[in-house]
Amino acid sequence: MCRDNGIHTFLNAIRTATQSALSKALGSSIELPAIDRIINKEIKANLRSQEKSHLFSAWIGASGVDAAQDISTLEPLLSRLLGVPLESQRLVVANDSFILCSPLLSCAEPIENAIVAIAGTGSVVVSFQRNKKSLESSSSSIMQLARAGGWGYLLGDDGSGFFAGREAIREVLREFNLEELEDRPSVSSSVEYEKKETLRSLLLDHFKLDSPDELFFVVYAPDIAPTISGSDGGNKTPEWARVDRKQRFVSLAPLVFHAAFTLKDSTALRALRTSLGGLAAQISSLCVGQDDSRSRVGKRVTASTTVLCLGGSLFGVEDYRKLLLEELQLLGYSFPHVVFVSDAAQEGALGLAKLFG
């Protein structure tokens, strides 16, 4: 197992973060085993007889860790690093969405399911089920049921920063085409436009453009855009051309949010509703509502017994969360509990305490 495959970097990041947290909590410097010793199997999976372990259990949520092969590769390495044995769910290695469902462990009955919706640079929706360990026990375990989306920006990522930026550009272009169709003067050429801040003005100012039809060059220019000759005879590269095409869309999300929620720009609100409409549809595909004609087939959960857990930077904006709930209501879905997980590590730790408490 070589360093080039990213495992060494991943383990080192876990080691650094864990050492920092433990040192702060225990009031003394804590040193975990070196990564080379872990990878070279100089330390056995059960560290109890070799190294002092400061952790009873650990919950590792890593973006992109979905395949069983990835988990089976990481589990023994993390067990040796953290000193947590691979038994009784004391060490859980899963996708980062798994940690975001931790509020499910604190919900009272009849809540028995969770749907996690993450909206950041990308997006994904995952459903979970809580299972009691035994009839006599009050502790529970969590099992992933199904997922929707999470396909990357080329195939989906509804509700993400990329999608919000893309829809904003589409809405501005639609509006521009409509002006031409109805033979109306362009908004961007009017005196009022120069005085009023709108989604269109924000986008054009962001990319240093004069007209919406120039957005095509920004969208379709290659990741390393060609040098443009300036009026002074020199060559210069636009600032937007210094980032890849995906990031050009993602960088627009704060502007779209400002236009929609601060300026109350109708074009920006339409863009966000379109973006969130797709995410709401993904959430609804994993569950059945009160008046849903579908029965609970397969792994679909019942909305009335499900907590909706929201995570990711975009859902940190309250207005965006409200917009999602409105889109869900339009589809006929509501949830008894909606939780925004602002600190996944803290929620995960509380979940583990509940699990083994």
Side-chain angles (χ1 to χ4, degrees):
M1 197 175 295
C2 64
R3 297 187 180 191
D4 295 338
N5 61 11
I7 289 182
H8 191 282
T9 301
F10 173 79
L11 292 175
N12 193 57
I14 297 293
R15 180 177 184 268
T16 300
T18 305
Q19 285 182 163
S20 175
L22 287 174
S23 298
K24 184 177 180 180
L26 300 176
S28 61
S29 179
I30 301 299
E31 189 78 15
L32 295 180
I35 302 303
D36 287 336
R37 294 180 65 199
I38 297 299
I39 292 179
N40 295 330
K41 299 183 179 179
E42 295 177 21
I43 297 177
K44 296 179 181 179
N46 186 355
L47 287 135
R48 293 299 173 191
S49 61
Q50 295 184 327
E51 310 272 348
K52 181 180 179 181
S53 176
H54 300 280
L55 297 171
F56 179 81
S57 63
W59 201 345
I60 308 296
S63 177
V65 176
D66 297 300
Q69 182 178 354
D70 295 335
I71 294 173
S72 62
T73 298
L74 292 173
E75 279 182 335
L77 295 171
L78 289 167
S79 178
R80 293 196 289 271
L81 174 64
L82 303 175
V84 179
L86 297 171
E87 61 183 40
S88 304
Q89 279 203 324
R90 286 176 59 180
L91 176 64
V92 177
V93 181
N95 184 275
D96 53 352
S97 63
F98 208 99
I99 289 184
L100 292 178
C101 79
S102 55
L104 175 59
L105 292 171
S106 302
C107 288
E109 294 183 359
I111 302 300
E112 56 186 29
N113 307 298
I115 290 181
V116 171
I118 302 174
T121 301
S123 70
V124 68
V125 180
V126 189
S127 62
F128 299 88
Q129 177 178 287
R130 176 173 60 182
N131 298 316
K132 279 195 171 183
K133 289 185 175 180
S134 67
L135 293 175
E136 297 80 16
S137 174
S138 60
S139 60
S140 307
S141 62
I142 291 179
M143 177 179 69
Q144 180 176 321
L145 294 176
R147 61 182 288 161
W151 304 328
Y153 73 99
L154 288 178
L155 298 176
D157 277 353
D158 301 70
S160 67
F162 172 86
F163 211 105
R166 191 190 74 169
E167 286 305 312
I169 291 178
R170 285 162 60 95
E171 286 294 337
V172 167
L173 289 172
R174 286 192 190 102
E175 188 179 69
F176 183 67
N177 289 159
L178 188 60
E179 290 169 358
E180 289 185 326
L181 174 66
E182 298 179 351
D183 201 23
R184 289 187 279 128
S186 174
V187 174
S188 53
S189 64
S190 66
V191 176
E192 290 79 6
Y193 169 79
E194 296 179 359
K195 300 178 180 179
K196 184 179 180 182
E197 204 174 37
T198 63
L199 176 65
R200 183 187 296 197
S201 71
L202 291 173
L203 264 57
L204 296 183
D205 289 347
H206 178 74
F207 291 122
K208 305 294 189 292
L209 305 175
D210 296 319
S211 174
D213 54 2
E214 296 177 13
L215 286 166
F216 290 112
F217 184 66
V218 174
V219 170
Y220 292 108
D223 285 343
I224 301 177
T227 301
I228 298 175
S229 297
S231 57
D232 57 358
N235 295 326
K236 59 181 180 180
T237 300
E239 191 172 336
W240 56 260
R242 298 171 189 169
V243 297
D244 60 39
R245 280 179 287 185
K246 176 186 176 182
Q247 193 58 38
R248 292 171 204 167
F249 289 94
V250 174
S251 67
L252 298 179
L255 300 179
V256 183
F257 275 48
H258 173 69
F261 301 131
T262 303
L263 305 178
K264 307 301 180 184
D265 184 280
S266 59
T267 305
L269 280 169
R270 278 199 307 274
L272 292 184
R273 284 193 179 278
T274 300
S275 178
L276 278 174
L279 190 65
Q282 290 176 345
I283 293 172
S284 67
S285 72
L286 299 184
C287 62
V288 291
Q290 185 175 357
D291 300 322
D292 203 321
S293 58
R294 300 174 299 177
S295 59
R296 180 173 174 177
V297 178
K299 296 180 179 179
R300 286 194 182 96
V301 300
T302 304
S304 60
T305 61
T306 298
V307 54
L308 178 60
C309 305
L310 305 178
S313 57
L314 297 194
F315 281 135
V317 179
E318 184 180 4
D319 285 332
Y320 199 57
R321 300 198 298 270
K322 290 179 179 178
L323 211 58
L324 173 67
L325 298 182
E326 289 177 12
E327 291 299 311
L328 284 168
Q329 287 178 346
L330 290 174
L331 294 174
Y333 292 87
S334 61
F335 297 87
H337 298 284
V338 179
V339 180
F340 170 61
V341 182
S342 59
D343 189 333
Q346 177 177 300
E347 290 292 339
L350 293 173
L352 284 177
K354 181 73 174 179
L355 189 63
F356 294 105

